[in-house]
Amino acid sequence: MEGLIKLDSIDRYNKLYGLETLHPMVAVVDLSKATVWPEHFKINYGVYALFLKETKCGDITYGRQPYDYKEGTIVCFTPGQVAETEMLKNVRPTAHGILFHPDFIRGTMLGQEIKKYSFFSYETREALHLSDTERETIMDCFRKIEVELEHNIDKHSRRLITANIGLLLDYCMRFYERQFTTREASNKDVIVRFERLLDEYFDSKAPQENGLPNVKYFADKVFLSPNYFGDMISKQTGKTVTEYIQDKLIGRAKELLLSTSKPMSEIAYSLGFQYPQHMSRMFKRIVGITPNEFRAQGA
């Protein structure tokens, strides 16, 4: 096995598979044209990468879990991610993909919007499974970018290439939303578990010991990445995970304000707030009045 490969340039990736470099900052790759392919390697990505896997040709491990991909699936990597790949012996990889350097999109519309493509940070068991029609759409986007890369560079090149990468990523967003819908039954199970976990958290000593829970805490409990978990909850319920947690907090605060005579500061600490004024601010923003005003109304 090779050591950790720091993939900080497009040329470094192309050399790994014996492919030609047409542009120093962007590449559309077709691994069926690879002239060499290592069997086992680990990459620390310094570029954005999105691959459409055509056949089962090996296993990718991200973190401690295997990536969920078979035929016709998309996997993505963002700068800073580390992925280990093990290729099957004597099986040529057949995958298409695009890689682009963060500097290429800096200062462009895509550079400003790249963080909205949360699927770059999805992790284990969260690949995008495509229908044949969706696959054709993705391939068409690859072809458009490739045509631009083969064209002589002119003043329009960067704008056209980044616009087409943006189009590709927009389609991936749409297809992921379709996948959230088609997996609705299993997603609903996750939402039920999330509700239960919220209640368990606030019924325990966890708020006093650990403070307010965050998205990552619950995502870890249901074995999903924070981004995937957040997007799935939002798509299914119309609320963000943070809004869900805040709703639960406000509900608990209302209950304690009306059913006990505990001072507001004690209630705030029992729910995990570091300072009572944090609870007061959140309560007033969501309910419209202060906790003490709410208590007075219910008295």
Side-chain angles (χ1 to χ4, degrees):
M1 172 185 171
E2 292 197 29
L4 182 67
I5 298 165
K6 185 151 177 49
L7 191 67
D8 48 12
S9 75
I10 299 302
D11 193 55
R12 182 80 182 88
Y13 184 86
N14 285 332
K15 281 193 166 69
L16 195 62
Y17 286 98
L19 297 166
E20 185 187 358
T21 299
L22 295 176
H23 192 290
M25 304 284 257
V26 188
V28 173
V29 297
D30 176 356
L31 290 187
S32 69
K33 294 178 179 171
T35 54
V36 292
W37 49 95
E39 283 178 2
H40 192 176
F41 55 94
K42 190 186 271 193
I43 289 178
N44 181 352
Y45 281 87
V47 300
Y48 290 95
L50 182 151
F51 299 104
L52 169 59
K53 300 286 182 180
E54 300 290 336
T55 58
K56 176 76 170 169
C57 54
D59 290 314
I60 296 177
T61 304
Y62 182 88
R64 286 167 299 185
Q65 299 283 350
Y67 228 134
D68 167 20
Y69 84 88
K70 298 177 182 64
E71 296 80 5
T73 53
I74 280 183
V75 292
C76 304
F77 303 99
T78 191
Q81 286 183 329
V82 176
E84 192 172 341
T85 300
E86 183 146 12
M87 307 297 290
L88 297 175
K89 270 191 185 299
N90 306 316
V91 176
R92 291 193 64 149
T94 53
H96 291 81
I98 181 165
L99 299 97
F100 55 97
H101 198 282
D103 287 350
F104 184 72
I105 63 170
R106 223 178 284 286
T108 67
M109 184 71 77
L110 179 60
Q112 291 165 32
E113 294 184 340
I114 195 72
K115 285 206 167 14
K116 82 173 185 183
Y117 300 109
S118 45
F119 52 79
F120 273 112
S121 298
Y122 290 173
E123 295 176 8
T124 59
R125 305 176 308 285
E126 298 165 354
L128 174 57
H129 301 264
L130 300 180
S131 68
D132 288 344
T133 310
E134 290 169 347
R135 183 193 163 284
E136 254 329 293
T137 301
I138 297 298
M139 287 301 296
D140 189 49
C141 288
F142 284 156
R143 281 190 286 269
K144 283 188 172 76
I145 298 163
E146 195 166 28
V147 166
E148 273 307 312
L149 292 175
E150 287 168 351
H151 193 281
N152 289 331
I153 294 175
D154 59 27
K155 64 180 183 180
H156 303 289
S157 299
R158 189 161 175 242
R159 183 178 170 83
L160 285 166
I161 292 168
T162 55
N164 277 301
I165 293 173
L167 182 66
L168 167 70
L169 301 182
D170 282 342
Y171 275 120
C172 287
M173 286 270 277
R174 171 186 277 177
F175 299 155
Y176 253 115
E177 285 186 9
R178 182 270 309 150
Q179 183 162 292
F180 286 138
T181 305
T182 54
R183 292 183 172 185
E184 203 161 341
S186 60
N187 292 346
K188 275 185 178 155
D189 178 53
V190 170
I191 293 166
V192 169
R193 284 162 65 202
F194 173 41
E195 288 272 11
R196 192 171 67 242
L197 286 163
L198 265 173
D199 283 326
E200 284 172 2
Y201 190 87
F202 289 110
D203 285 340
S204 71
K205 295 284 184 195
Q208 297 96 296
E209 291 169 2
N210 306 319
L212 298 177
N214 56 22
V215 178
K216 186 177 184 307
Y217 173 85
F218 293 109
D220 286 348
K221 293 282 184 187
V222 294
F223 306 106
L224 295 171
S225 68
N227 274 20
Y228 190 93
F229 178 63
D231 288 349
M232 188 198 76
I233 294 290
S234 183
K235 174 69 181 163
Q236 293 290 320
T237 69
K239 284 186 197 175
T240 66
V241 175
T242 302
E243 286 169 340
Y244 240 100
I245 295 169
Q246 288 179 354
D247 284 353
K248 181 65 71 176
L249 276 166
I250 296 302
R252 291 280 176 137
K254 283 179 174 179
E255 196 179 305
L256 290 166
L257 285 164
L258 296 182
S259 66
T260 74
S261 56
K262 289 178 182 176
M264 197 275 290
S265 57
E266 192 180 328
I267 291 171
Y269 291 131
S270 74
L271 290 173
F273 288 95
Q274 197 171 358
Y275 302 104
Q277 58 266 39
H278 289 177
M279 184 180 110
S280 286
R281 277 202 294 271
M282 183 192 290
F283 197 96
K284 183 158 189 188
R285 176 171 55 80
I286 293 170
V287 183
I289 54 176
T290 67
N292 287 333
E293 288 167 342
F294 176 82
R295 177 175 258 169
Q297 278 185 5

